[in-house]
Amino acid sequence: MEVKRICQWCGKPFIAQKTTTCYCSPQCSKRGYKHRIKERKMELRHIQEMELRSSLEKQEYFTFSQAARLMGVSRQYIYKLVKEDKLRASRLSGRMALVRRADIELMLKSKPYERLVSKSDFDITEYYTAEDIAEKYKVNAKWVWTYTRQHKVPKVRIRQFNYYSKKHIDAAFAKYEVDSDLTEWYTPEEIQEKYGMTRVAIRSQVYRNNIPSKKEHGQIFYSKLHFDLSKSSEQESKAEYYTVKEAMEKFKLSRDSVYGILQFHQINREKNGRFVRFLKVEFDRVMGVRK
């Protein structure tokens, strides 16, 4: 009886002498055997690497060889990173130095991936340089470098120069845009001198009244028109309202008496910052009845 088989190595059909024969010739048998041994070694090496990597993931300190295995690079490359001060290492003796896991993560975090393109494939009209951003939006060039890294603005690098995505930069600064018709601005120092306000009070006034502001070269400016209007409206409002302290002084009342009158006669009151205030007309009418 003839047993027809397909050689597991070369794929040719052959007549097998036994039912267990898998190869057409001794040469194919030897090659198949070597291939099986090689696969077993690779599988064993892979298992060992996985076990080693899992054990390294629990460590906080590594030798240069262990750090190389963890990062998937050569030991020589770890030496290069340490020599170039890109990776910190601590020398314990003449033959022993350790690298912390935190320093590896810090190095990777401080050096994000930057796409490198050739100048022929680069459309410069879609990108700003740091100088362009500083000139257009009146900020410091060093601030541009910090801001783009923190907010991960896409950039490309050509011949040691960085170019930042125009679309992302314009979108980031859109929230700082102000009305082009505004031409007069206060500095905080001018407001302090004119109105006698502290820096905290100025910021509170700007926040409560939604006063337009802008920042140029690190200096903050507030719209003169809007700030003066907010202060004038406050003065008009004060003329129409009593605070609890003002009512106490005018009518020689205690604080509890003022609050008692407000509650008994159901006079509407509102909170203005730290102060409670109420309409003068309503309180004067009540006090006139009592007189």
Side-chain angles (χ1 to χ4, degrees):
M1 184 179 68
E2 293 184 349
V3 181
K4 293 183 178 181
R5 290 293 182 88
I6 301 296
C7 181
Q8 292 186 3
W9 180 255
C10 65
K12 294 180 181 180
F14 69 99
I15 304 299
Q17 300 295 326
K18 299 179 181 179
T19 56
T20 56
T21 305
C22 299
Y23 300 97
C24 63
S25 65
Q27 290 80 4
C28 288
S29 179
K30 290 178 181 179
R31 291 169 183 170
Y33 173 75
K34 290 181 179 179
H35 181 70
R36 291 196 305 273
I37 295 299
K38 185 178 180 180
E39 284 187 338
R40 289 174 186 171
K41 288 182 178 179
M42 290 178 63
E43 185 178 354
L44 180 61
R45 188 180 303 140
H46 178 70
I47 293 172
Q48 291 174 345
E49 287 179 358
M50 292 296 293
E51 291 177 351
L52 179 61
R53 188 174 291 273
S54 62
S55 65
L56 291 177
E57 288 178 354
K58 300 176 183 178
Q59 292 183 213
E60 289 297 326
Y61 297 91
F62 309 100
T63 63
F64 282 17
S65 299
Q66 291 173 334
R69 291 195 192 98
L70 181 68
M71 296 176 63
V73 297
S74 65
R75 189 176 61 174
Q76 287 73 18
Y77 187 69
I78 299 295
Y79 278 106
K80 180 182 177 182
L81 292 175
V82 173
K83 183 178 180 181
E84 294 176 353
D85 291 331
K86 295 180 180 178
L87 178 63
R88 293 183 59 186
S90 300
R91 181 176 292 280
L92 303 181
S93 65
R95 299 174 64 92
M96 174 62 71
L98 295 178
V99 179
R100 291 192 309 171
R101 177 186 294 275
D103 290 326
I104 296 176
E105 293 175 351
L106 179 63
M107 178 192 68
L108 297 176
K109 184 178 179 180
S110 61
K111 185 66 176 176
Y113 175 75
E114 297 179 3
R115 185 166 62 95
L116 301 178
V117 298
S118 62
K119 197 167 185 179
S120 59
D121 299 332
F122 179 65
D123 185 6
I124 199 169
T125 60
E126 298 296 326
Y127 292 84
Y128 287 129
T129 63
E131 291 74 18
D132 293 336
I133 299 171
E135 182 179 354
K136 182 174 181 179
Y137 292 106
K138 296 180 175 58
V139 295
N140 192 296
K142 292 183 178 179
W143 181 88
V144 172
W145 184 83
T146 304
Y147 181 88
T148 53
R149 290 178 72 89
Q150 288 177 347
H151 294 79
K152 299 180 180 179
V153 175
K155 67 177 178 180
V156 294
R157 189 174 180 86
I158 298 179
R159 296 180 182 176
Q160 306 302 316
F161 293 100
N162 290 327
Y163 294 84
Y164 303 93
S165 170
K166 184 178 290 187
K167 178 178 68 176
H168 290 78
I169 291 295
D170 290 340
F173 281 92
K175 60 183 178 181
Y176 301 116
E177 290 183 359
V178 295
D179 191 350
S180 58
D181 294 334
L182 296 176
T183 57
E184 295 184 326
W185 301 86
Y186 278 135
T187 63
E189 291 78 12
E190 291 171 343
I191 296 174
Q192 284 179 305
E193 182 178 353
K194 184 174 181 178
Y195 292 107
M197 301 173 68
T198 64
R199 289 294 185 103
V200 175
I202 293 172
R203 288 194 292 269
S204 177
Q205 182 82 2
V206 170
Y207 176 77
R208 288 200 313 270
N209 296 278
N210 198 23
I211 296 173
S213 61
K214 66 176 183 178
K215 197 170 186 179
E216 294 183 357
H217 304 294
Q219 175 67 50
I220 191 74
F221 297 89
Y222 303 108
S223 169
K224 188 173 184 179
L225 173 65
H226 290 78
F227 204 95
D228 289 341
L229 284 174
S230 70
K231 294 299 290 183
S232 62
S233 63
E234 273 190 2
Q235 295 298 328
E236 293 173 0
S237 177
K238 284 182 179 179
E240 298 176 359
Y241 288 87
Y242 281 133
T243 63
V244 174
K245 186 177 181 181
E246 289 171 348
M248 290 168 57
E249 292 176 353
K250 182 173 181 178
F251 297 102
K252 302 297 187 288
L253 299 171
S254 66
R255 184 176 298 274
D256 291 339
S257 298
V258 173
Y259 278 107
I261 293 170
L262 294 174
Q263 186 174 0
F264 181 79
H265 293 278
Q266 297 182 351
I267 298 175
N268 292 328
R269 50 190 170 179
E270 63 181 33
K271 193 79 178 290
N272 182 31
R274 295 184 297 109
F275 303 100
V276 173
R277 66 179 189 174
F278 40 88
L279 284 171
K280 288 184 177 181
V281 175
E282 294 185 3
F283 199 82
D284 287 343
R285 178 176 55 80
V286 172
M287 297 305 294
V289 170
R290 289 186 62 182
K291 289 178 180 178

